[in-house]
Amino acid sequence: MIIAVDGPAASGKGTLSRRIASYYELAYLDTGTLYRGVGWVMLSKNLDPGDEAAAGETARSFSLEQIAGADIRTPDVGRAASRVAALPVVRAALLDFQRQFAAKPPHGAAGAVLDGRDIGTVVCPDALVKFYITAAPEERARRRHEELRQRDGGLSYEMTLEDIKRRDARDSGRETAPMRPAADAQFIDTTKLDADAVFARACRFIDNAIEDRNEAVG
Ligand code: C5P
C-alpha cells in the first residue's frame, strides 16, 4: 500500500504524511531530505549546486549517513536542494532509492508513505492514493517563518514569502519531473484547515480506496 503526498513547501504535507504513516502503520520517506541532503553536502564542500557534474557525482554517492546530525532545514539548504533537484542527473540518481523504499519498505512495513513533489507523477505512479496538498503562499510563508524564527539564518516574513515563491516557480517550472499534481490526485487546500481536519479528510480517501481495492480482489 503506497500513499503519495505531493505539494509545495510548507503546505502541511510532511505533518499529514507522518500521521498517515503512523496511523496505517506504514514506513515514511520524506524525499525532500534526499534533495536537501545532496544540496547540504555540496554546500559543505563549497561546491556550486548548479554544477551538474559535481551534483551528479554527489547524488550518485549520497547516503543518509552523510547528513547524520546536519541541519538541513535551513533556507540556504532549501534553496540548494531546489537547484540540484532541477538537474536530471540528480533526479535519476535518487529515483532508485525512492522506488526501492516503496517496493521494500523498512522494518517489514506493509507499505509506505512518500512525500515530495513528483511522487504521484514519477516515483510511484501506481500509488493507491495520491494527494496534492496546497495552501496559499502567504499562509505557507507564515508557517515557515514561525518554524524558523528561533534559528540562525531565519528570514523575515517578507523574505520567507519571496523565498517560497521563488522555490515554487523553480520546482514547477523545471523540465524534469516538475512539481505537479497527478491527474488522479486528491487536492486538499490546508490554508484554512488545521492538521486534524486535513488528516480526517485524507483518511476518508484512504479508507474508501482500501475498501474499493478489497472489493475488487473479492
Ligand atoms: O520538501 P522540501 O522543502 O524539503 O524539499 C526541498 C526541495 O527538494 C524542494 O524545493 C524541491 O526542489 C526538491 N524536491 C523535489 N522532489 C521531491 C522532493 C523534493 O524536487 N520529490
Side-chain angles (χ1 to χ4, degrees), residues 74-105:
T74 64
D76 283 352
V77 176
R79 230 168 288 132
S82 170
R83 289 183 67 201
V84 299
L87 302 171
V89 280
V90 170
R91 303 203 74 84
L94 298 180
L95 187 57
D96 223 34
F97 179 86
Q98 297 171 75
R99 290 216 171 123
Q100 282 292 330
F101 187 97
K104 279 202 185 72

PDB file of all heavy atoms in Angstrom, residues 74-105:
ATOM      1  N   THR A  74      17.501  24.533   6.838  1.00  0.00           N
ATOM      2  CA  THR A  74      17.705  25.985   6.731  1.00  0.00           C
ATOM      3  C   THR A  74      17.278  26.468   5.341  1.00  0.00           C
ATOM      4  O   THR A  74      17.234  25.676   4.385  1.00  0.00           O
ATOM      5  CB  THR A  74      19.196  26.332   6.924  1.00  0.00           C
ATOM      6  OG1 THR A  74      19.923  25.749   5.846  1.00  0.00           O
ATOM      7  CG2 THR A  74      19.728  25.799   8.240  1.00  0.00           C
ATOM      8  N   PRO A  75      16.979  27.773   5.223  1.00  0.00           N
ATOM      9  CA  PRO A  75      16.626  28.319   3.913  1.00  0.00           C
ATOM     10  C   PRO A  75      17.728  28.112   2.868  1.00  0.00           C
ATOM     11  O   PRO A  75      17.434  27.816   1.702  1.00  0.00           O
ATOM     12  CB  PRO A  75      16.413  29.812   4.188  1.00  0.00           C
ATOM     13  CG  PRO A  75      16.096  29.904   5.649  1.00  0.00           C
ATOM     14  CD  PRO A  75      16.825  28.785   6.308  1.00  0.00           C
ATOM     15  N   ASP A  76      18.991  28.236   3.274  1.00  0.00           N
ATOM     16  CA  ASP A  76      20.102  28.052   2.318  1.00  0.00           C
ATOM     17  C   ASP A  76      20.088  26.645   1.733  1.00  0.00           C
ATOM     18  O   ASP A  76      20.276  26.459   0.528  1.00  0.00           O
ATOM     19  CB  ASP A  76      21.455  28.252   3.032  1.00  0.00           C
ATOM     20  CG  ASP A  76      21.749  29.710   3.257  1.00  0.00           C
ATOM     21  OD1 ASP A  76      20.990  30.548   2.735  1.00  0.00           O
ATOM     22  OD2 ASP A  76      22.725  29.998   3.980  1.00  0.00           O
ATOM     23  N   VAL A  77      19.867  25.670   2.613  1.00  0.00           N
ATOM     24  CA  VAL A  77      19.872  24.285   2.128  1.00  0.00           C
ATOM     25  C   VAL A  77      18.630  24.035   1.254  1.00  0.00           C
ATOM     26  O   VAL A  77      18.698  23.341   0.235  1.00  0.00           O
ATOM     27  CB  VAL A  77      19.955  23.275   3.302  1.00  0.00           C
ATOM     28  CG1 VAL A  77      19.855  21.842   2.802  1.00  0.00           C
ATOM     29  CG2 VAL A  77      21.242  23.468   4.078  1.00  0.00           C
ATOM     30  N   GLY A  78      17.498  24.645   1.618  1.00  0.00           N
ATOM     31  CA  GLY A  78      16.285  24.520   0.800  1.00  0.00           C
ATOM     32  C   GLY A  78      16.514  25.042  -0.609  1.00  0.00           C
ATOM     33  O   GLY A  78      16.116  24.425  -1.596  1.00  0.00           O
ATOM     34  N   ARG A  79      17.206  26.168  -0.686  1.00  0.00           N
ATOM     35  CA  ARG A  79      17.494  26.772  -1.996  1.00  0.00           C
ATOM     36  C   ARG A  79      18.456  25.878  -2.805  1.00  0.00           C
ATOM     37  O   ARG A  79      18.249  25.648  -3.993  1.00  0.00           O
ATOM     38  CB  ARG A  79      18.123  28.150  -1.774  1.00  0.00           C
ATOM     39  CG  ARG A  79      17.454  29.239  -2.576  1.00  0.00           C
ATOM     40  CD  ARG A  79      17.902  30.610  -2.105  1.00  0.00           C
ATOM     41  NE  ARG A  79      17.348  30.957  -0.816  1.00  0.00           N
ATOM     42  CZ  ARG A  79      18.047  31.446   0.231  1.00  0.00           C
ATOM     43  NH1 ARG A  79      19.342  31.621   0.152  1.00  0.00           N
ATOM     44  NH2 ARG A  79      17.429  31.742   1.356  1.00  0.00           N
ATOM     45  N   ALA A  80      19.477  25.364  -2.128  1.00  0.00           N
ATOM     46  CA  ALA A  80      20.433  24.488  -2.819  1.00  0.00           C
ATOM     47  C   ALA A  80      19.721  23.214  -3.290  1.00  0.00           C
ATOM     48  O   ALA A  80      19.953  22.731  -4.405  1.00  0.00           O
ATOM     49  CB  ALA A  80      21.591  24.132  -1.885  1.00  0.00           C
ATOM     50  N   ALA A  81      18.813  22.706  -2.441  1.00  0.00           N
ATOM     51  CA  ALA A  81      18.057  21.487  -2.795  1.00  0.00           C
ATOM     52  C   ALA A  81      17.245  21.727  -4.065  1.00  0.00           C
ATOM     53  O   ALA A  81      17.236  20.896  -4.985  1.00  0.00           O
ATOM     54  CB  ALA A  81      17.132  21.103  -1.643  1.00  0.00           C
ATOM     55  N   SER A  82      16.594  22.862  -4.120  1.00  0.00           N
ATOM     56  CA  SER A  82      15.741  23.159  -5.267  1.00  0.00           C
ATOM     57  C   SER A  82      16.575  23.309  -6.538  1.00  0.00           C
ATOM     58  O   SER A  82      16.140  22.968  -7.636  1.00  0.00           O
ATOM     59  CB  SER A  82      14.939  24.423  -4.950  1.00  0.00           C
ATOM     60  OG  SER A  82      14.275  24.904  -6.062  1.00  0.00           O
ATOM     61  N   ARG A  83      17.822  23.793  -6.389  1.00  0.00           N
ATOM     62  CA  ARG A  83      18.679  23.916  -7.576  1.00  0.00           C
ATOM     63  C   ARG A  83      19.176  22.555  -8.053  1.00  0.00           C
ATOM     64  O   ARG A  83      19.113  22.249  -9.234  1.00  0.00           O
ATOM     65  CB  ARG A  83      19.847  24.851  -7.274  1.00  0.00           C
ATOM     66  CG  ARG A  83      19.385  26.300  -7.150  1.00  0.00           C
ATOM     67  CD  ARG A  83      20.541  27.225  -6.927  1.00  0.00           C
ATOM     68  NE  ARG A  83      21.422  27.295  -8.081  1.00  0.00           N
ATOM     69  CZ  ARG A  83      22.695  27.709  -8.034  1.00  0.00           C
ATOM     70  NH1 ARG A  83      23.228  28.068  -6.890  1.00  0.00           N
ATOM     71  NH2 ARG A  83      23.426  27.745  -9.128  1.00  0.00           N
ATOM     72  N   VAL A  84      19.645  21.720  -7.120  1.00  0.00           N
ATOM     73  CA  VAL A  84      20.128  20.397  -7.562  1.00  0.00           C
ATOM     74  C   VAL A  84      18.964  19.545  -8.076  1.00  0.00           C
ATOM     75  O   VAL A  84      19.130  18.726  -8.986  1.00  0.00           O
ATOM     76  CB  VAL A  84      20.923  19.623  -6.475  1.00  0.00           C
ATOM     77  CG1 VAL A  84      22.161  20.382  -6.049  1.00  0.00           C
ATOM     78  CG2 VAL A  84      20.074  19.256  -5.270  1.00  0.00           C
ATOM     79  N   ALA A  85      17.763  19.797  -7.515  1.00  0.00           N
ATOM     80  CA  ALA A  85      16.591  18.994  -7.903  1.00  0.00           C
ATOM     81  C   ALA A  85      16.146  19.260  -9.345  1.00  0.00           C
ATOM     82  O   ALA A  85      15.409  18.472  -9.914  1.00  0.00           O
ATOM     83  CB  ALA A  85      15.432  19.276  -6.946  1.00  0.00           C
ATOM     84  N   ALA A  86      16.608  20.375  -9.907  1.00  0.00           N
ATOM     85  CA  ALA A  86      16.247  20.680 -11.293  1.00  0.00           C
ATOM     86  C   ALA A  86      17.141  19.924 -12.281  1.00  0.00           C
ATOM     87  O   ALA A  86      16.880  19.935 -13.487  1.00  0.00           O
ATOM     88  CB  ALA A  86      16.352  22.186 -11.531  1.00  0.00           C
ATOM     89  N   LEU A  87      18.196  19.270 -11.776  1.00  0.00           N
ATOM     90  CA  LEU A  87      19.153  18.599 -12.668  1.00  0.00           C
ATOM     91  C   LEU A  87      18.753  17.136 -12.884  1.00  0.00           C
ATOM     92  O   LEU A  87      18.651  16.368 -11.923  1.00  0.00           O
ATOM     93  CB  LEU A  87      20.562  18.665 -12.056  1.00  0.00           C
ATOM     94  CG  LEU A  87      21.090  20.087 -11.775  1.00  0.00           C
ATOM     95  CD1 LEU A  87      22.383  20.040 -10.960  1.00  0.00           C
ATOM     96  CD2 LEU A  87      21.319  20.827 -13.099  1.00  0.00           C
ATOM     97  N   PRO A  88      18.532  16.752 -14.156  1.00  0.00           N
ATOM     98  CA  PRO A  88      18.103  15.368 -14.430  1.00  0.00           C
ATOM     99  C   PRO A  88      19.046  14.313 -13.869  1.00  0.00           C
ATOM    100  O   PRO A  88      18.584  13.277 -13.391  1.00  0.00           O
ATOM    101  CB  PRO A  88      18.075  15.304 -15.969  1.00  0.00           C
ATOM    102  CG  PRO A  88      17.915  16.728 -16.421  1.00  0.00           C
ATOM    103  CD  PRO A  88      18.579  17.587 -15.379  1.00  0.00           C
ATOM    104  N   VAL A  89      20.378  14.589 -13.876  1.00  0.00           N
ATOM    105  CA  VAL A  89      21.318  13.576 -13.353  1.00  0.00           C
ATOM    106  C   VAL A  89      21.066  13.304 -11.876  1.00  0.00           C
ATOM    107  O   VAL A  89      21.190  12.163 -11.418  1.00  0.00           O
ATOM    108  CB  VAL A  89      22.809  13.981 -13.514  1.00  0.00           C
ATOM    109  CG1 VAL A  89      23.311  13.734 -14.910  1.00  0.00           C
ATOM    110  CG2 VAL A  89      23.074  15.392 -13.056  1.00  0.00           C
ATOM    111  N   VAL A  90      20.712  14.352 -11.158  1.00  0.00           N
ATOM    112  CA  VAL A  90      20.459  14.184  -9.721  1.00  0.00           C
ATOM    113  C   VAL A  90      19.169  13.399  -9.508  1.00  0.00           C
ATOM    114  O   VAL A  90      19.112  12.457  -8.712  1.00  0.00           O
ATOM    115  CB  VAL A  90      20.384  15.569  -9.023  1.00  0.00           C
ATOM    116  CG1 VAL A  90      19.894  15.444  -7.592  1.00  0.00           C
ATOM    117  CG2 VAL A  90      21.740  16.257  -9.060  1.00  0.00           C
ATOM    118  N   ARG A  91      18.135  13.758 -10.252  1.00  0.00           N
ATOM    119  CA  ARG A  91      16.839  13.073 -10.084  1.00  0.00           C
ATOM    120  C   ARG A  91      16.980  11.586 -10.418  1.00  0.00           C
ATOM    121  O   ARG A  91      16.447  10.723  -9.727  1.00  0.00           O
ATOM    122  CB  ARG A  91      15.749  13.719 -10.947  1.00  0.00           C
ATOM    123  CG  ARG A  91      15.559  15.209 -10.677  1.00  0.00           C
ATOM    124  CD  ARG A  91      14.192  15.681 -11.076  1.00  0.00           C
ATOM    125  NE  ARG A  91      13.186  15.230 -10.139  1.00  0.00           N
ATOM    126  CZ  ARG A  91      12.879  15.835  -9.003  1.00  0.00           C
ATOM    127  NH1 ARG A  91      13.481  16.947  -8.667  1.00  0.00           N
ATOM    128  NH2 ARG A  91      11.950  15.345  -8.202  1.00  0.00           N
ATOM    129  N   ALA A  92      17.735  11.301 -11.497  1.00  0.00           N
ATOM    130  CA  ALA A  92      17.916   9.899 -11.902  1.00  0.00           C
ATOM    131  C   ALA A  92      18.634   9.128 -10.804  1.00  0.00           C
ATOM    132  O   ALA A  92      18.260   7.993 -10.467  1.00  0.00           O
ATOM    133  CB  ALA A  92      18.697   9.837 -13.217  1.00  0.00           C
ATOM    134  N   ALA A  93      19.646   9.759 -10.211  1.00  0.00           N
ATOM    135  CA  ALA A  93      20.436   9.069  -9.183  1.00  0.00           C
ATOM    136  C   ALA A  93      19.598   8.779  -7.934  1.00  0.00           C
ATOM    137  O   ALA A  93      19.812   7.780  -7.252  1.00  0.00           O
ATOM    138  CB  ALA A  93      21.661   9.913  -8.810  1.00  0.00           C
ATOM    139  N   LEU A  94      18.635   9.651  -7.614  1.00  0.00           N
ATOM    140  CA  LEU A  94      17.850   9.475  -6.371  1.00  0.00           C
ATOM    141  C   LEU A  94      16.579   8.646  -6.577  1.00  0.00           C
ATOM    142  O   LEU A  94      15.950   8.204  -5.621  1.00  0.00           O
ATOM    143  CB  LEU A  94      17.491  10.841  -5.780  1.00  0.00           C
ATOM    144  CG  LEU A  94      18.680  11.729  -5.368  1.00  0.00           C
ATOM    145  CD1 LEU A  94      18.187  13.053  -4.807  1.00  0.00           C
ATOM    146  CD2 LEU A  94      19.552  11.014  -4.329  1.00  0.00           C
ATOM    147  N   LEU A  95      16.230   8.433  -7.848  1.00  0.00           N
ATOM    148  CA  LEU A  95      14.969   7.736  -8.142  1.00  0.00           C
ATOM    149  C   LEU A  95      14.970   6.293  -7.627  1.00  0.00           C
ATOM    150  O   LEU A  95      13.994   5.821  -7.035  1.00  0.00           O
ATOM    151  CB  LEU A  95      14.717   7.765  -9.661  1.00  0.00           C
ATOM    152  CG  LEU A  95      13.365   7.238 -10.137  1.00  0.00           C
ATOM    153  CD1 LEU A  95      12.222   8.003  -9.483  1.00  0.00           C
ATOM    154  CD2 LEU A  95      13.260   7.356 -11.657  1.00  0.00           C
ATOM    155  N   ASP A  96      16.099   5.635  -7.856  1.00  0.00           N
ATOM    156  CA  ASP A  96      16.203   4.231  -7.476  1.00  0.00           C
ATOM    157  C   ASP A  96      15.963   4.019  -5.988  1.00  0.00           C
ATOM    158  O   ASP A  96      15.215   3.121  -5.596  1.00  0.00           O
ATOM    159  CB  ASP A  96      17.630   3.769  -7.819  1.00  0.00           C
ATOM    160  CG  ASP A  96      17.591   2.413  -8.450  1.00  0.00           C
ATOM    161  OD1 ASP A  96      16.612   2.151  -9.172  1.00  0.00           O
ATOM    162  OD2 ASP A  96      18.521   1.619  -8.182  1.00  0.00           O
ATOM    163  N   PHE A  97      16.607   4.846  -5.184  1.00  0.00           N
ATOM    164  CA  PHE A  97      16.465   4.734  -3.731  1.00  0.00           C
ATOM    165  C   PHE A  97      14.992   4.857  -3.326  1.00  0.00           C
ATOM    166  O   PHE A  97      14.477   4.077  -2.517  1.00  0.00           O
ATOM    167  CB  PHE A  97      17.293   5.827  -3.038  1.00  0.00           C
ATOM    168  CG  PHE A  97      17.172   5.800  -1.538  1.00  0.00           C
ATOM    169  CD1 PHE A  97      17.989   4.984  -0.775  1.00  0.00           C
ATOM    170  CD2 PHE A  97      16.221   6.585  -0.885  1.00  0.00           C
ATOM    171  CE1 PHE A  97      17.866   4.947   0.602  1.00  0.00           C
ATOM    172  CE2 PHE A  97      16.080   6.548   0.499  1.00  0.00           C
ATOM    173  CZ  PHE A  97      16.920   5.726   1.245  1.00  0.00           C
ATOM    174  N   GLN A  98      14.303   5.825  -3.933  1.00  0.00           N
ATOM    175  CA  GLN A  98      12.900   6.079  -3.566  1.00  0.00           C
ATOM    176  C   GLN A  98      12.019   4.897  -3.978  1.00  0.00           C
ATOM    177  O   GLN A  98      11.139   4.463  -3.227  1.00  0.00           O
ATOM    178  CB  GLN A  98      12.405   7.363  -4.232  1.00  0.00           C
ATOM    179  CG  GLN A  98      13.160   8.601  -3.780  1.00  0.00           C
ATOM    180  CD  GLN A  98      12.802   9.822  -4.611  1.00  0.00           C
ATOM    181  OE1 GLN A  98      11.724  10.385  -4.451  1.00  0.00           O
ATOM    182  NE2 GLN A  98      13.690  10.218  -5.508  1.00  0.00           N
ATOM    183  N   ARG A  99      12.271   4.367  -5.182  1.00  0.00           N
ATOM    184  CA  ARG A  99      11.450   3.232  -5.642  1.00  0.00           C
ATOM    185  C   ARG A  99      11.705   1.987  -4.812  1.00  0.00           C
ATOM    186  O   ARG A  99      10.786   1.222  -4.513  1.00  0.00           O
ATOM    187  CB  ARG A  99      11.734   2.968  -7.131  1.00  0.00           C
ATOM    188  CG  ARG A  99      11.193   4.077  -8.019  1.00  0.00           C
ATOM    189  CD  ARG A  99      10.670   3.533  -9.338  1.00  0.00           C
ATOM    190  NE  ARG A  99       9.977   4.557 -10.090  1.00  0.00           N
ATOM    191  CZ  ARG A  99      10.290   4.931 -11.323  1.00  0.00           C
ATOM    192  NH1 ARG A  99      11.295   4.342 -11.957  1.00  0.00           N
ATOM    193  NH2 ARG A  99       9.594   5.861 -11.938  1.00  0.00           N
ATOM    194  N   GLN A 100      12.988   1.789  -4.439  1.00  0.00           N
ATOM    195  CA  GLN A 100      13.334   0.644  -3.577  1.00  0.00           C
ATOM    196  C   GLN A 100      12.606   0.748  -2.239  1.00  0.00           C
ATOM    197  O   GLN A 100      12.096  -0.236  -1.719  1.00  0.00           O
ATOM    198  CB  GLN A 100      14.841   0.632  -3.297  1.00  0.00           C
ATOM    199  CG  GLN A 100      15.679   0.114  -4.429  1.00  0.00           C
ATOM    200  CD  GLN A 100      15.455  -1.362  -4.652  1.00  0.00           C
ATOM    201  OE1 GLN A 100      15.146  -2.092  -3.716  1.00  0.00           O
ATOM    202  NE2 GLN A 100      15.565  -1.799  -5.901  1.00  0.00           N
ATOM    203  N   PHE A 101      12.590   1.956  -1.699  1.00  0.00           N
ATOM    204  CA  PHE A 101      11.939   2.179  -0.403  1.00  0.00           C
ATOM    205  C   PHE A 101      10.463   1.827  -0.507  1.00  0.00           C
ATOM    206  O   PHE A 101       9.884   1.184   0.368  1.00  0.00           O
ATOM    207  CB  PHE A 101      12.105   3.654   0.000  1.00  0.00           C
ATOM    208  CG  PHE A 101      11.621   3.959   1.398  1.00  0.00           C
ATOM    209  CD1 PHE A 101      12.502   3.997   2.466  1.00  0.00           C
ATOM    210  CD2 PHE A 101      10.265   4.206   1.645  1.00  0.00           C
ATOM    211  CE1 PHE A 101      12.053   4.275   3.751  1.00  0.00           C
ATOM    212  CE2 PHE A 101       9.810   4.473   2.931  1.00  0.00           C
ATOM    213  CZ  PHE A 101      10.705   4.511   3.989  1.00  0.00           C
ATOM    214  N   ALA A 102       9.832   2.248  -1.619  1.00  0.00           N
ATOM    215  CA  ALA A 102       8.405   1.973  -1.806  1.00  0.00           C
ATOM    216  C   ALA A 102       8.162   0.474  -2.018  1.00  0.00           C
ATOM    217  O   ALA A 102       7.192  -0.092  -1.510  1.00  0.00           O
ATOM    218  CB  ALA A 102       7.879   2.778  -2.988  1.00  0.00           C
ATOM    219  N   ALA A 103       9.072  -0.166  -2.766  1.00  0.00           N
ATOM    220  CA  ALA A 103       8.876  -1.581  -3.093  1.00  0.00           C
ATOM    221  C   ALA A 103       9.140  -2.476  -1.883  1.00  0.00           C
ATOM    222  O   ALA A 103       8.470  -3.482  -1.676  1.00  0.00           O
ATOM    223  CB  ALA A 103       9.800  -1.984  -4.245  1.00  0.00           C
ATOM    224  N   LYS A 104      10.135  -2.121  -1.103  1.00  0.00           N
ATOM    225  CA  LYS A 104      10.511  -2.910   0.097  1.00  0.00           C
ATOM    226  C   LYS A 104      10.666  -1.975   1.282  1.00  0.00           C
ATOM    227  O   LYS A 104      11.769  -1.635   1.699  1.00  0.00           O
ATOM    228  CB  LYS A 104      11.860  -3.608  -0.146  1.00  0.00           C
ATOM    229  CG  LYS A 104      11.764  -4.878  -0.943  1.00  0.00           C
ATOM    230  CD  LYS A 104      13.000  -5.734  -0.646  1.00  0.00           C
ATOM    231  CE  LYS A 104      13.047  -6.965  -1.504  1.00  0.00           C
ATOM    232  NZ  LYS A 104      13.364  -6.779  -2.894  1.00  0.00           N
ATOM    233  N   PRO A 105       9.548  -1.555   1.871  1.00  0.00           N
ATOM    234  CA  PRO A 105       9.649  -0.612   2.993  1.00  0.00           C
ATOM    235  C   PRO A 105      10.407  -1.241   4.163  1.00  0.00           C
ATOM    236  O   PRO A 105      10.322  -2.456   4.372  1.00  0.00           O
ATOM    237  CB  PRO A 105       8.189  -0.365   3.384  1.00  0.00           C
ATOM    238  CG  PRO A 105       7.370  -0.851   2.241  1.00  0.00           C
ATOM    239  CD  PRO A 105       8.164  -1.920   1.559  1.00  0.00           C
TER     240      PRO A 105
END
